[in-house]
C-alpha cells in the first residue's frame, strides 16, 4: 500500500477532514455573502443597468454586462454535481473486502464513492447542504463567478450565482428535430414541424425567465453536422433526394431573384427547363459558378 503526505487512512480521518472543510466553508461564505462580490472594477462607463445579463457595444467593443450595469468577465466551472458513479465490477476481484465494507454488493456494477463519503460524514439529512456550502466556498476562493453548463439545477437555485444552462436537458425530445434532415442531424429549419418543436423547445426557459442570475443558455452540444470543414448547409440541402421545405424556400428565392429560368441558368451555368427542377438532387452546386456559390452562401447565412 502506497503512502504520501496528508493521506487519509480511515473513515474517521475522512469524516474529520470533511467536517473541517464545512467549518471553513461557512466562514468563507459569510465573508462573501454579498451577491455583488463578482462585479468587475467598474472601469467601463455608461453600460446599461437593465436588471439582466446582456451584451452591449461600447467604443467598438462588445461587453458582457451584469444586471447592475457593470462589465462582467464570466469564469465558470461546468458539471457541478455531488458525485458520480464509478465502475466497481472490474475492481471487485481485487478489492472485494474493502468494497463490501462500503456497502457495495458483489454483483453491483457502479458505485458513487463521493456521495457515500458525504453521507457518512454529514448524514442522510444534511449531506447535500454541507456539500453545497463547501463547493460554493471553493468557487469564491478560486475566483469562479459562474456555474457552468450541465450543473445541478438544485445547486444553481441554492447558490444564487450567475449561471448558464443546457436547454436540451429540460426538453424531453432535446433540440428540435424534423423527420427529414438536411444534412446529418441538421433539421429542415423551414418546415412547420421544426417551428412547432422550436416553440415547444423554448418553453423550457419558462422556469428561468424571471431569474436575473441566468447569463444565458446553450441550445445543443457537438451536433453531428458541425464536424465538417468548410461545410455549406445550403449546398447539402440541394443535394438531398427529397423536396424539403428549405428547398422550396430556396427555389422561391431564386425565382424572385432571377425572374426567369434563362437568367438563372446563365448565372449558375445550368440548363434547367424550369425552377422546379431544382427539386432534383444537385450535388456540389457551389462550384458551378460564382453566382451559385454566393446564392448558396447567402441562404446559409
Amino acid at each position: 500500500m502506497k503512502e504520501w503526505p496528508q493521506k487519509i487512512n480511515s473513515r474517521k480521518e475522512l469524516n474529520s477532514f470533511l467536517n473541517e472543510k464545512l467549518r471553513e466553508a461557512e466562514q468563507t461564505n459569510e465573508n462573501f455573502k454579498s451577491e455583488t462580490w463578482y462585479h468587475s472594477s467598474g472601469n467601463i462607463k455608461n453600460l446599461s443597468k437593465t436588471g439582466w445579463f446582456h451584451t452591449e457595444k461600447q467604443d467598438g467593443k462588445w461587453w458582457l454586462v451584469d444586471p447592475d450595469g457593470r462589465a462582467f468577465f464570466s469564469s465558470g466551472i461546468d458539471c457541478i454535481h455531488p458525485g458520480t458513479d464509478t465502475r466497481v465490477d472490474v475492481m471487485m476481484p481485487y478489492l472485494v473486502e474493502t468494497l463490501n465494507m462500503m456497502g457495495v454488493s458483489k454483483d453491483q456494477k457502479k458505485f458513487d464513492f463521493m456521495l457515500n463519503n458525504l453521507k457518512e460524514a454529514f448524514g442522510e439529512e444534511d449531506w447535500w447542504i454541507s456539500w453545497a456550502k463547501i463547493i460554493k466556498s471553493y468557487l469564491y476562493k478560486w475566483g469562479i463567478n459562474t456555474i457552468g453548463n450541465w450543473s445541478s439545477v438544485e445547486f444553481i437555485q441554492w447558490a444564487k450565482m450567475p449561471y448558464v444552462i443546457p436547454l436540451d436537458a429540460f426538453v424531453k425530445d432535446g433540440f428540435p428535430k424534423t423527420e427529414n434532415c438536411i444534412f446529418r442531424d441538421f433539421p429542415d429549419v423551414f418546415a412547420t414541424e421544426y417551428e412547432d418543436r422550436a416553440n415547444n423547445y423554448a418553453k423550457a426557459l419558462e422556469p428561468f425567465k424571471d431569474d436575473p442570475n441566468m447569463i444565458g443558455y446553450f441550445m445543443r452540444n457537438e451536433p453531428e453536422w458541425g464536424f465538417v470543414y468548410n461545410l455549406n448547409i445550403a449546398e447539402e440541402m440541394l443535394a438531398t433526394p427529397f423536396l424539403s421545405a428549405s428547398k422550396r424556400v430556396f427555389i422561391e428565392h431564386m425565382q424572385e431573384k432571377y425572374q426567369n429560368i434563362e437568367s438563372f441558368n446563365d448565372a449558375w451555368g445550368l440548363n434547367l427547363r424550369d425552377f422546379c427542377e431544382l427539386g432534383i438532387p444537385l450535388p456540389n452546386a457551389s462550384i458551378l459558378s460564382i453566382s451559385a456559390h454566393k446564392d448558396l452562401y447567402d441562404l446559409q447565412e
Side-chain angles (χ1 to χ4, degrees), residues 37-283:
W37 65 271
Y38 54 79
H39 280 319
S40 72
S41 62
N43 291 331
I44 310 303
K45 299 180 180 179
N46 301 320
L47 293 173
S48 302
K49 181 179 179 180
T50 66
W52 308 96
F53 279 97
H54 63 282
T55 56
E56 192 167 328
K57 194 172 186 180
Q58 183 183 114
D59 298 329
K61 295 181 179 179
W62 283 99
W63 299 91
L64 177 60
V65 187
D66 74 12
D68 292 322
R70 300 188 184 184
F72 183 82
F73 184 88
S74 177
S75 175
I77 295 178
D78 61 20
C79 302
I80 299 177
H81 288 277
T84 186
D85 288 340
T86 300
R87 285 283 300 275
V88 292
D89 53 342
V90 294
M91 297 187 289
M92 186 60 75
Y94 311 100
L95 300 171
V96 59
E97 185 176 340
T98 301
L99 292 174
N100 286 339
M101 288 177 59
M102 298 185 72
V104 183
S105 61
K106 63 180 181 180
D107 59 347
Q108 193 168 339
K109 290 187 176 182
K110 294 183 179 181
F111 186 73
D112 192 327
F113 289 97
M114 181 177 176
L115 189 58
N116 181 74
N117 290 337
L118 289 169
K119 290 181 177 180
E120 288 285 345
F122 304 117
E124 290 285 344
E125 295 294 325
D126 297 326
W127 72 265
W128 189 91
I129 190 63
S130 299
W131 165 82
K133 289 178 179 179
I134 293 171
I135 295 302
K136 188 172 183 179
S137 73
Y138 274 112
L139 298 181
Y140 282 150
K141 289 186 287 188
W142 292 342
I144 301 299
N145 60 18
T146 303
I147 300 173
N149 217 27
W150 305 296
S151 294
S152 163
V153 175
E154 188 176 6
F155 181 71
I156 286 172
Q157 293 171 336
W158 175 85
K160 304 299 182 185
M161 289 175 58
Y163 65 91
V164 295
I165 58 169
L167 204 55
D168 272 12
F170 303 95
V171 183
K172 180 181 178 182
D173 297 324
F175 188 83
K177 302 174 183 177
T178 52
E179 184 176 353
N180 292 311
C181 291
I182 297 301
F183 176 72
R184 295 187 179 180
D185 59 349
F186 190 91
D188 185 2
V189 294
F190 288 97
T192 302
E193 61 175 321
Y194 179 79
E195 181 180 358
D196 293 340
R197 291 177 180 178
N199 287 331
N200 183 63
Y201 185 73
K203 290 178 182 178
L205 288 171
E206 282 288 334
F208 305 94
K209 65 183 179 66
D210 295 322
D211 189 353
N213 282 320
M214 187 178 76
I215 296 175
Y217 53 90
F218 291 86
M219 292 193 293
R220 67 187 312 191
N221 185 55
E222 299 178 353
E224 294 176 15
W225 63 266
F227 292 88
V228 179
Y229 178 72
N230 206 27
L231 174 68
N232 187 313
I233 288 291
E235 180 179 52
E236 298 297 337
M237 174 269 298
L238 275 187
T240 56
F242 57 92
L243 184 60
S244 63
S246 297
K247 192 179 289 188
R248 290 192 185 96
V249 168
F250 181 72
I251 292 172
E252 291 173 2
H253 180 64
M254 292 298 96
Q255 286 178 309
E256 181 179 344
K257 178 176 181 178
Y258 290 100
Q259 297 297 307
N260 58 71
I261 194 62
E262 291 76 19
S263 297
F264 176 79
N265 283 335
D266 287 343
W268 276 53
L270 291 172
N271 188 30
L272 304 182
R273 290 171 296 181
D274 54 51
F275 285 101
C276 292
E277 288 195 354
L278 283 171
I280 301 171
L282 180 62

